[in-house]
Amino acid sequence: MKVVVLVKQVPDTYEKRSIALDTGMLAREASENIVDEIDERVCAVAAELKKAGTATEVVAVTMGPAGADKAIRKVLALAADSAVHIVDDGLAGSDMIQTARVLAEAAKDADLILSGAESTDGGGGMVPAMMAEILGRAHIPYADSIEVAEGSVTAVTNTDTQKLTLSAATPVVVSLTEKAGEPKLPNFKSIREAKKKDITVTSLADLGVAAGPGAAYVRNVMVSAAERPPKEAGVKVSGDTAATELVDFLATRHLI
């Protein structure tokens, strides 16, 4: 079984994040870029499938700038045998639909596509479902655990009120929650071996796909952006007139 793990490089969640005022998008250069934590957990699941002999090949697929190769190397050390890195200037600023179109094309020959339920930077959580729709496959969402048998995948998904056991025939797309796997630090041997593994760099032309903001049917356009004004100190009341001042304050704002 060929397993594809979707990987995304995101700004470090432990550092301050900000929006670029000129583009309205996340300022990725403002902090260190790392592998999304949930993707490391997905890699842990893929590593277990490989250890069990269920996965004969694990391929990491990412769409991002040239600098994302650092994140890819970590995934190669964690679980993947090889990687596909989609690099194209025309993809900058792509929405979820355009992202799903590109990733679906790059991962279409996989028996099982594993993804995090949602990224920590965008948090949309819809790309796996969109990929499944594009590829005409079943999608198992928000799986806390999975079991892979010959020709099928069974997963447990917990909603606010129910515990669901979902099953689908392969090929299938499964999005995993943070409960699905426990990431491990790669050892020195794995890091050295990762440097020798193949990373196939490809583009939209190589994939034969017209995608990105320029190919979108509709798109949002930022009109303006400004920094949030600093917080101002509130009105303080004290002394014998505090009660009267408080009543007047509430009354002028039609709160009483």
Side-chain angles (χ1 to χ4, degrees):
M1 172 181 285
K2 180 177 180 178
V3 177
V4 162
V5 175
L6 301 183
V7 178
K8 189 175 186 181
Q9 180 176 262
V10 299
D12 194 338
T13 54
Y14 292 99
E15 295 184 21
K16 183 179 179 180
R17 297 181 177 187
S18 59
I19 298 296
L21 298 182
D22 58 335
T23 64
M25 295 186 290
L26 191 65
R28 298 185 179 277
E29 71 283 351
S31 61
E32 182 182 1
N33 291 305
I34 61 173
V35 178
D36 201 335
E37 181 184 345
I38 197 168
D39 292 338
E40 293 191 29
R41 295 179 181 275
V42 174
C43 285
V45 173
E48 289 299 317
L49 293 175
K50 186 176 177 182
K51 183 178 179 180
T54 304
T56 54
E57 181 184 9
V58 176
V59 180
V61 174
T62 191
M63 187 181 97
D69 58 347
K70 180 181 177 182
I72 296 171
R73 288 295 177 191
K74 184 172 184 180
V75 174
L76 289 172
L78 289 171
D81 301 303
S82 61
V84 175
H85 185 186
I86 306 156
V87 184
D88 200 298
D89 292 341
L91 292 172
S94 293
D95 61 15
M96 287 187 288
I97 296 175
Q98 300 305 312
T99 299
R101 293 180 61 215
V102 175
L103 293 176
E105 181 64 27
K108 63 183 180 181
D109 61 342
D111 300 298
L112 172 61
I113 299 174
L114 295 178
S115 168
E118 58 186 48
S119 63
T120 56
D121 58 348
M126 293 301 297
V127 170
M130 291 176 176
M131 291 178 63
E133 177 69 18
I134 292 168
L135 294 171
R137 302 178 184 181
H139 171 227
I140 300 179
Y142 291 89
D144 289 338
S145 63
I146 65 169
E147 292 183 5
V148 181
E150 186 66 30
S152 67
V153 175
T154 301
V156 174
T157 297
N158 287 285
T159 69
D160 292 336
T161 58
Q162 292 179 313
K163 179 179 180 180
L164 305 175
T165 300
L166 307 174
S167 183
T170 57
V172 62
V173 181
V174 181
S175 53
L176 303 170
T177 70
E178 71 281 354
K179 297 178 182 179
E182 190 65 32
K184 298 179 181 179
L185 291 174
N187 56 39
F188 182 68
K189 180 182 178 183
S190 298
I191 295 173
R192 288 187 60 186
E193 291 177 347
K195 294 180 180 180
K196 303 176 183 178
K197 293 180 179 179
D198 292 333
I199 299 178
T200 301
V201 179
T202 188
S203 65
L204 289 175
D206 296 330
L207 292 174
V209 177
Y217 304 111
V218 294
R219 59 182 298 193
N220 293 327
V221 178
M222 183 184 72
V223 177
S224 64
E227 291 187 6
R228 178 185 298 173
K231 293 182 179 180
E232 298 180 357
V235 178
K236 295 182 179 180
V237 295
S238 61
D240 297 337
T241 62
T244 302
E245 290 182 52
L246 180 58
V247 171
D248 291 342
F249 178 84
L250 296 174
T252 56
R253 287 162 176 76
H254 305 289
L255 298 175
I256 59 173

